[in-house]
């Protein structure tokens, strides 16, 4: 029986610390502010944006919401970003993806002031993460590190296998584990004999986006298993990349879906906003 790593609990504890940081900033006359920009009417994005606003309210962070129509031009979005980049009340800017096809997402990412890039997607911040000298950590990998820390799991010297190499999860996750002195293997869709790699993992991170893709035969007994996946099964039920029922009995620790990595992602976004206000606010 594995220890079920409770992302909601870790998130609550992290938010308690964040409240104290927000109170400390208030003494310096700084109220952290997060601008969230939504373009179009994607239902999933609307839910994410609403949850971000709720988290801001809970922590005393001011949330600035911008809901733009689906036919917004790139120029109009850039004009809004000009205003937000210059606004001293805004410490973090997040443009919710996906964006409509007339907008070049990479261009938008590069346009956000790196000091307000609380997603840590700007090439400047990606470069700093590569160097191990960063102000912001990408939210999902940062949340995973926080979960590992909470459960006393030190990646140093362990073999970590990350399945997935996306810019938002797999790659930065691998880099952060490397900074934490793990030996890291990165797997992707061209990896041959994937199971031979995953079976060597002391810590296995699945960020593939495929329902119950990691099965018991792919996991070493006693491994720590982190499931990043957020997929819908044929009944529309939320499920991860890991076959939880099969893997849980042989893992030492495992994150559930829901209630594992997911709750940490928004909390880490709040952390980055507070960090931005602390480092770059009040200038
Ligand atoms: P992407 O689709 O961007 O990346 C998926 C990765 O999986 C790619 O690197 C791809 O390889 C790899 N992959 C696909 N098929 C295979 C295969 N058969 N064998 C090995 N590797 C494979 O997804 P994301 O990284 O954005 O997200 C991954 C999952 O995490 C999704 O379910 C997403 O919803 C979830 N997610 C959850 C978050 C949370 O807060 N809990 C936050 C962000 C994402 P290649 O590069 O070769 O194509």
């Amino acid at each position: 029986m594995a220890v079920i790593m409770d992302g909601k609990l870790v998130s609550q504890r992290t938010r308690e610390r964040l409240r104290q940081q927000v109170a400390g900033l208030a003494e310096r006359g700084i109220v952290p502010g997060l601008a969230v920009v939504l373009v179009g009417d994607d239902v999933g994005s609307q839910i994410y944006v609403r949850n971000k606003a709720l988290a801001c309210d809970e922590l005393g962070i001011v949330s600035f919401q911008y809901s733009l129509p689906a036919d917004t031009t790139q120029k109009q979005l850039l004009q809004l970003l000009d205003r937000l980049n210059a606004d001293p009340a805004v410490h973090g800017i997040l443009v919710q993806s996906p964006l409509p096809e007339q907008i070049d997402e990479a261009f938008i990412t590069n346009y956000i002031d790196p000091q307000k890039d609380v997603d840590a997607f700007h090439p400047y911040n990606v470069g700093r993460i590569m160097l191990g000298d960063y102000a912001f950590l990408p939210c999902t990998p940062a949340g995973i590190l926080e979960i590992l820390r909470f459960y006393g799991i030190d990646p140093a010297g362990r073999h970590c296998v990350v399945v997935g190499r996306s810019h938002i999860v797999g790659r930065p996750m691998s880099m952060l584990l490397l900074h934490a002195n793990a030996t890291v293997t990165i797997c992707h869709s061209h990896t041959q004999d994937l199971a031979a790699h995953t079976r060597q993992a002391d810590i296995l991170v699945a960020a593939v986006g495929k329902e119950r893709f990691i099965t018991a035969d792919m996991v070493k007994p006693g491994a720590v298993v982190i499931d990043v996946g957020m997929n819908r099964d044929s009944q529309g039920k939320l499920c991860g990349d890991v076959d939880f029922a099969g893997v849980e009995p042989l893992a030492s620790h495992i994150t559930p879906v829901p209630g594992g990595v997911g709750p940490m992602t928004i909390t880490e976004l709040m952390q980055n906003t507070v960090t931005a206000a602390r480092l770059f606010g009040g200038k």
Side-chain angles (χ1 to χ4, degrees):
M1 288 284 282
V3 173
I4 311 296
M5 296 191 278
D6 183 348
K8 283 192 201 150
L9 175 65
V10 185
S11 175
Q12 270 170 21
R13 294 287 159 81
T14 309
R15 288 186 186 201
E16 282 159 20
R17 287 202 306 275
L18 271 174
R19 267 189 218 98
Q20 290 167 9
Q21 292 175 28
V22 171
L25 284 171
E27 287 170 14
R28 287 170 52 198
I30 300 170
V31 182
L34 173 67
V36 179
V37 182
L38 177 66
V39 187
D41 38 27
D42 181 78
V43 177
S45 296
Q46 285 170 346
I47 294 169
Y48 286 134
V49 167
R50 198 177 58 227
N51 288 341
K52 285 164 188 168
L54 287 173
C56 283
D57 288 349
E58 185 198 324
L59 294 169
I61 296 171
V62 179
S63 130
F64 304 92
Q65 303 276 322
Y66 298 88
S67 238
L68 307 181
D71 61 358
T72 299
T73 62
Q74 176 147 317
K75 192 170 170 209
Q76 288 167 327
L77 181 54
L78 293 178
Q79 281 166 347
L80 172 60
L81 290 178
D82 280 334
R83 288 208 329 262
L84 298 176
N85 279 339
D87 186 343
V90 172
H91 303 99
I93 302 172
L94 183 144
V95 179
Q96 185 68 47
S97 71
L99 288 169
E101 59 183 14
Q102 73 274 16
I103 295 177
D104 178 347
E105 199 154 333
F107 194 90
I108 297 300
T109 302
N110 294 1
Y111 203 76
I112 294 171
D113 179 346
Q115 294 190 340
K116 299 189 178 191
D117 168 40
V118 284
D119 262 336
F121 292 165
H122 190 289
Y124 173 81
N125 287 319
V126 173
R128 287 191 65 180
I129 290 160
M130 188 85 180
L131 295 170
D133 163 35
Y134 34 75
F136 307 125
L137 290 177
C139 300
T140 302
I144 291 169
L145 284 192
E146 198 58 43
I147 291 174
L148 290 175
R149 218 173 353 252
F150 185 88
Y151 284 93
I153 298 160
D154 182 358
R158 309 257 199 128
H159 187 180
C160 298
V161 177
V162 179
V163 189
R165 58 173 170 178
S166 72
H167 292 278
I168 63 167
V169 189
R171 263 172 227 237
M173 184 76 252
S174 309
M175 199 47 63
L176 298 189
L177 289 167
L178 187 63
H179 291 318
N181 295 320
T183 301
V184 183
T185 299
I186 308 171
C187 299
H188 46 79
S189 67
H190 297 264
T191 299
Q192 292 187 8
D193 198 358
L194 179 67
H197 293 283
T198 57
R199 271 199 296 267
Q200 290 177 30
D202 301 315
I203 300 175
L204 176 62
V205 181
V208 186
K210 290 191 171 155
E211 176 191 336
R212 300 185 182 102
F213 180 74
I214 302 287
T215 45
D217 58 311
M218 299 169 78
V219 177
K220 177 165 83 172
V224 174
V225 180
I226 304 285
D227 189 352
V228 185
M230 288 210 301
N231 315 300
R232 296 273 165 198
D233 68 11
S234 50
Q235 276 95 49
K237 206 173 139 225
L238 192 63
C239 69
D241 287 348
V242 176
D243 173 21
F244 187 88
V247 171
E248 184 273 330
L250 61 109
S252 74
H253 295 73
I254 188 166
T255 58
V257 177
V261 174
M264 285 305 293
T265 297
I266 289 185
T267 297
E268 292 298 331
L269 175 70
M270 300 297 120
Q271 175 68 73
N272 281 346
T273 304
V274 171
T275 300
R278 180 170 55 79
L279 292 178
F280 311 119
K283 285 197 289 195

